[in-house]
Amino acid sequence: MTIVKHELRQGKTAFLIWTAAISFLLMICIFLFPEMRGDMDAMGELFASMGSFTAAFGMDRLNIGTLIGFYAVECGNILGLGGAFFASLAGASILSKEEREKTAEFLLTHPVSRARVVTEKLAALLIQITVMDLMILAFSLLSMRLIGEDIPWKEVMLLHGAYFLLQLESAGACFGISAFLRRSGIGIGIGLSAMMYFLNLIANMTDHGKFLKYITPFGYCEGADIIAEGRLNAGYIAVGILFACVGIAAAYWRYSKKDIH
Amino acid sequence: MDAIRTDSLTKYYGKRRGIEHIDLTVRQGDFFGFIGPNGAGKSTTIRTLLGLIRPSGGKAQILGLDTIKEREKILARVGYLPSEVSFYPGMRVKDILKLSADLRRRDCGKTSRLLCERLRLDTTRKAEELSFGNRKKTAIVCALQHEPELLILDEPTSGLDPLMQREFFEILRERNQEGTTIFLSSHILSEIQHNCTNAAMIKDGTIIAKGSIAELSRTGAKRVSICGFVDFGSLAGVKDPHSTPGSVDFLYNGNMNALLQTLSKGDIQDITVTEPELEEVFLHYYERGGGGI
């Protein structure tokens, strides 16, 4: 547990900044909802006339005049992108930073196996993501209460569950990449998350691109699908879990035999 | 049982040579010097011994344990001081020392405090505020606080002022007298000569000489220093002469009778004949790649 505690301490500032930023933006959005609801009819017509753009964000199938419709579109983007960025950044740097900052020599000349280093760093990553999601969920629910709305529990929990899985998948895949890197994984983490986000927009805009939903974790986070079907897409999630497992397995395989310079 | 034993240990970085066929034996309780210039393969040898890099060939044992299969058991009994020291930003010295002890699952508080006092290390400073010398001191305490059976030190004195160097070697001598084996890698020959009993020289990734410090210094040549005036003429065996008005200093490996006859014709106030410094032997090895002076 020594490395877990050490990692949590080292990542504390980044964790607090990302959690506060995402929670703050989500709360702002929720607080704006009562004011915007009155204008939603006109806005709905405007969005409906924007063609592919409307489809890209799932607004052709969501009623943004309801709290859950508004939450799925506006807050979904904040939580989806923000959470994916944090998970990818943390995942892509947690192993590689030791070599980049030249602390690997300190850590790996202590009597700890490489497998233990990988396991404890992975545990720290999962703890950070879980605590962050719980805190964001708590702030969201609190904000919905504060604006006097009934909380659509099932849909909110499904949406947050999907974004939690998205973050686990992103973190798992980037964790694998991190084991291969000697330099910063920040560019790779952000780039990969942004690419996955845009792949989902493309998949939403065209029927030919629907297969992309199996590749991008944003595929199973589509608010319009989750609210319409009342469940998550098990097929997309199974592929996502597979990606995460491959990433984690690659991290163990690579890091256990990697030369540390 | 040997503290360190390598058998044809080899490491290539792709096609680039790191070390080649290193055969090294360090007895338990020895104070062993590992000499070589930058880039000779000292750090590669050490990193391979510690399991940071995997050898391309050969094998190594530390304290009778295989360096690949039993890495954690070895590291529990070894203290390592790297040549370049980096710590986690934001951590104070006392947190770094605590982290090191926790990773070893040991309570090293008492020894750590004694070492910090002797090295005059302020444990409240943050890692990023530390000078190179203080980073080195922190790493020294990390390497010594768990009282290891074997100490592997890579260029340990860089960054330490002369007083701290003296204190550091005093600590090492005490530990060595208590039974700790010390493997000291350095390019500073006086450090090796004044502290070690045995040594190995490495050049271009291969060991070119090894033995006791006395054996390595014994070359058959003598360092001759003369105050006065002598005409050496065509005397064979005079090497590396340094003349100043009224004195001359040179290495001599020729016929002693011929030297004495030449000196007897000169005007000499004083003469000293000594064994050459290890540094001279070392420079000879690097200039010629081995062989006698």
Side-chain angles (χ1 to χ4, degrees), chain A residues 106-167:
Chain A
F106 172 85
L107 181 62
L108 297 175
T109 49
H110 284 84
V112 287
S113 68
R114 300 270 182 110
R116 187 181 146 200
V117 171
V118 174
T119 304
E120 293 208 25
K121 280 180 174 274
L122 181 63
L125 187 61
L126 298 182
I127 289 170
Q128 281 183 320
I129 291 172
T130 307
V131 173
M132 177 195 227
D133 277 55
L134 288 174
M135 287 175 73
I136 290 170
L137 177 64
F139 281 120
S140 274
L141 294 173
L142 177 69
S143 306
M144 289 179 193
R145 273 274 183 259
L146 287 175
I147 61 169
E149 291 285 330
D150 286 334
I151 296 172
W153 283 100
K154 185 185 173 189
E155 289 84 355
V156 168
M157 297 311 279
L158 280 173
L159 277 172
H160 277 261
Y163 285 116
F164 178 60
L165 289 172
L166 174 147
Q167 288 161 31

Side-chain angles (χ1 to χ4, degrees), chain A residues 98 105 108 110 259-260, chain B residues 11 47 71 80 88 100:
Chain A
E98 298 285 351
E105 198 170 27
L108 297 175
H110 284 84
D259 279 354
I260 304 295
Chain B
K11 176 64 186 178
R47 286 165 164 271
R71 191 180 144 268
Y80 169 55
Y88 299 98
S100 179

Side-chain angles (χ1 to χ4, degrees), chain B residues 226-229 241-249:
Chain B
I226 292 167
C227 276
F229 298 94
H242 297 285
S243 297
T244 54
S247 73
V248 63
D249 186 274

Side-chain angles (χ1 to χ4, degrees), chain A residues 235-246:
Chain A
Y236 296 156
I237 289 173
V239 176
I241 290 171
L242 184 67
F243 281 147
C245 290
V246 168

